Amino acid sequence: MGSVRLVALKGRLAASFFNGSLRGFQRNPTLSIRCLSSNMSPPSKAVVYEQQGPPDQVIRVIDLPPVEIRESDVCVKMLAAPINPSDINRIEGVYPVRPPVPAIGGYEGVGEVQSLGSAVRGLSPGDWVIPSPLSSGTWQTYVVKEESAWHKVSTDIPAEYAATVTVNPLTALRMLEDFNKLNSGDAIVQNGATSIVGQCIIQLARIQGIHSINIIRDRVGSEEVKERLKKLGADEVYTESQLEIKNVKSLLGGLPEPALGFNCVGGNSATLVLKFLRQGGTMVTYGGMAKKPVTVSTSSFIFKDLSLRGFWLQKWMSSERAKDSRPMIDYLLDLVRRGELKYEMELVPFEDFHVALDKALGKLGSHPKQVLTF
């Protein structure tokens, strides 16, 4: 990138620090002059992309100048932020909702309040906050947004859990509660059980007295994976090859037929979820890691009356749902505090961002969720 182009990019990104777009700068070209006065943020280091494309090709880490902290703004020093699949999809340009470019990456994280605008009353320096609703621009050392964009969380939990509580654990909680009414003693079935959503579903179901039947892919070390999931509370864990039998329900033993199933894989793995469901059961699809379609037999609709639904957290959190979700987030973080909710993550210093990105892209083998620490 040439020096003139880089300076222009830095200026545009600084001007659009609040929403990841260029529109604020375009509406008010004097913004950079006004920012020279009053309260200012520290300079920030940020992960940016000028265009959509392969993340390892379009991403750059650059320095951004200070921006103005207006009277209702809060300046937050980021502590941790994950690299989620949806973050990668936004950079690639294939996610349904994405910020206009140039943009700062990241959509979730936790930070510590650094400084406040004069009108801010609900937060103090040192408080921990997360973006609520989720918003772009968490892959940077300092973020400035209005007070209403932040939700205060407890500081007595590991930062990596506060940084990741919204996208995955909240998805698990809502899917368990929003489709079929489940009672203690009921059962659910899911594929992708090793994902963070899958791990959370196991633990949240256990807390509610709900049994879980879990499907994992065939892999080296699958027996160790099964044991880890059972320690989290899984009742049964099967590899896909173990389910290549005509009557999978013969494996249930004393467990009830599941009323609800969760699919984040697609293809044959989704078909296995459907085979377990009881009459009138529902399968909820929230991902498609195999990049293969969900295929359903005609008899599943006619004779079993199965329902297929979908869940997308971003849609669920539209409008006023962000405020509704805050007590749920507090509940999930309280479970973390009590040791009742945990999942695998790998912490990576922000300066090693490109290593974390390669791991998140699967270029360096299989790794847990990558969480940047600042």
Side-chain angles (χ1 to χ4, degrees), residues 77-149:
K77 181 183 185 300
M78 294 303 295
L79 300 174
I83 301 178
N84 289 315
S86 54
D87 296 322
I88 292 171
N89 293 157
R90 285 185 179 90
I91 297 167
E92 293 170 332
V94 299
Y95 203 70
V97 176
R98 53 190 182 271
V101 292
I104 300 169
Y107 225 68
E108 184 181 27
V110 64
E112 180 180 330
V113 174
Q114 178 86 3
S115 56
L116 309 164
S118 59
V120 175
R121 297 291 180 266
L123 294 171
S124 301
D127 287 345
W128 281 15
V129 291
I130 64 174
S132 179
L134 296 167
S135 57
S136 61
T138 58
W139 293 351
Q140 58 183 318
T141 50
Y142 291 92
V143 180
V144 176
K145 294 181 185 290
E146 291 188 358
E147 180 183 11
S148 61

Side-chain angles (χ1 to χ4, degrees), residues 13 25 70 102 106 112-113 144 159 243 246 276 280 321 333 335:
L13 283 165
F25 180 76
R70 295 168 178 161
E112 180 180 330
V113 174
V144 176
L243 301 178
K246 186 173 183 180
F276 274 104
R321 283 290 180 87
L333 291 177
L335 294 179

